[in-house]
Amino acid sequence: MTLRDTVDVTAVGCLAAATAVTVAAVALPAGAPPARRRALLWTACGLSATAGCTLLMDVLGLLFGQGVDSTLGAVVHALGLAGAVVLGAAASRGRAAAPGPPGRWIAYTGVLSFLPYVAMKLNWALGGTFAGIGGGEVLEASERNGASGPWLALERWGLDPTALLALAGILLLFCLIRPWGLRLPRWLPLAPALIGVGTLVPYGLPGLAYLVPAQLGALPVRPGDLPSRGDTLAVAWIGYTAFAGYGPALLAATRWYWHATRAAPVTGGP
């Protein structure tokens, strides 16, 4: 069984478990303590989010013409993330009032987390060398790993697709916390924000947790396309730190935007 198959089997299992826990929450007697129902709903939400945590990879594959590794897996990931949104909203119903206006730390955290990642990727795209590999070798690795035509074309033009997406993610963060974002149709920022939260939070934080023992030599690290274990760790620290910092910042911004627009929805206009 490949790693991709393992991920898909895990997603199906988590989605099935989330469904079972949701049924248990719905089946509670009417007089059951509300806290118990909310605990079950939050548990189901976490399981469902785990099932959908790789949806972003499917979306990127479709966006750049590479397709998805498994159609069934992509459907499961989409159902998992959609279920997490619905269950999270149900668990939050009737709770505390909407949070106050978000602080600037949200945007700063997202920007600072992504800067080293963007610099690394653009350095490669412009032909530079980092972690023992040059821009030309990175392009060859992309070709060897089956990257799509649009993806390769951007890399040849010195525009790394993941760096561009990181910049788009930073713009999304400001859209969620600034007044001009409230003038947009509610779904426009929320759709990518919910996908980002559901994929980056469970991807970045566990990734950092894995890197600590890996750095100490307690866990294996596969070099992949990089020349050494140390080079792989250097790139991994930059990547996982970016996602682990940006993910929670996006979560905080999305939570505020969700409450703010639900209380006073704005569908557009000046």
Side-chain angles (χ1 to χ4, degrees), residues 122-204:
L122 289 181
N123 174 62
W124 278 332
L126 294 172
T129 299
F130 177 75
I133 187 171
E137 295 168 288
V138 171
L139 181 59
E140 291 175 3
S142 297
E143 294 174 337
R144 186 168 58 251
N145 294 329
S148 67
W151 186 285
L152 295 173
L154 287 172
E155 286 194 338
R156 292 190 184 101
W157 297 336
L159 299 171
D160 183 87
T162 55
L164 295 177
L165 290 170
L167 294 174
I170 292 173
L171 177 62
L172 173 62
L173 200 57
F174 280 99
C175 174
L176 291 168
I177 66 172
R178 302 305 300 163
W180 55 267
L182 297 174
R183 301 189 181 99
L184 298 173
R186 188 171 186 251
W187 62 268
L188 189 59
L190 274 182
L194 290 171
I195 293 175
V197 168
T199 55
L200 295 181
V201 172
Y203 180 76

Side-chain angles (χ1 to χ4, degrees), residues 21-267:
V21 175
T22 303
V23 171
V26 173
L28 282 176
R36 184 182 303 175
R37 193 184 306 275
R38 282 195 296 270
L40 285 172
L41 288 174
W42 279 122
T43 301
C45 178
L47 289 167
S48 195
T50 302
C53 71
T54 55
L55 177 63
L56 182 61
M57 310 309 168
D58 299 324
V59 173
L60 295 183
L62 292 172
L63 182 63
F64 288 99
Q66 295 180 201
V68 296
D69 294 325
S70 166
T71 301
L72 178 60
V75 171
V76 170
H77 304 156
L79 289 174
L81 190 56
V85 172
V86 173
L87 290 166
S92 301
R93 191 170 299 144
R95 299 299 292 164
R104 293 182 178 180
W105 67 269
I106 292 179
Y108 294 159
T109 299
V111 172
L112 292 176
S113 298
F114 262 142
L115 280 182
Y117 180 83
V118 171
M120 176 182 71
K121 290 288 192 169
L122 289 181
N123 174 62
W124 278 332
L126 294 172
T129 299
F130 177 75
I133 187 171
E137 295 168 288
V138 171
L139 181 59
E140 291 175 3
S142 297
E143 294 174 337
R144 186 168 58 251
N145 294 329
S148 67
W151 186 285
L152 295 173
L154 287 172
E155 286 194 338
R156 292 190 184 101
W157 297 336
L159 299 171
D160 183 87
T162 55
L164 295 177
L165 290 170
L167 294 174
I170 292 173
L171 177 62
L172 173 62
L173 200 57
F174 280 99
C175 174
L176 291 168
I177 66 172
R178 302 305 300 163
W180 55 267
L182 297 174
R183 301 189 181 99
L184 298 173
R186 188 171 186 251
W187 62 268
L188 189 59
L190 274 182
L194 290 171
I195 293 175
V197 168
T199 55
L200 295 181
V201 172
Y203 180 76
L205 296 176
L208 281 185
Y210 180 89
L211 284 180
V212 174
Q215 185 72 55
L216 298 174
L219 292 175
V221 175
R222 295 178 59 186
D225 295 314
L226 296 171
S228 71
R229 184 178 188 276
D231 293 324
T232 301
L233 283 170
V235 172
W237 276 111
I238 292 175
Y240 280 118
T241 298
F243 300 134
Y246 179 82
L250 183 62
L251 173 61
T254 303
R255 178 173 179 266
W256 180 83
Y257 188 89
W258 177 284
H259 286 286
T261 55
R262 185 173 62 175
V266 180
T267 56

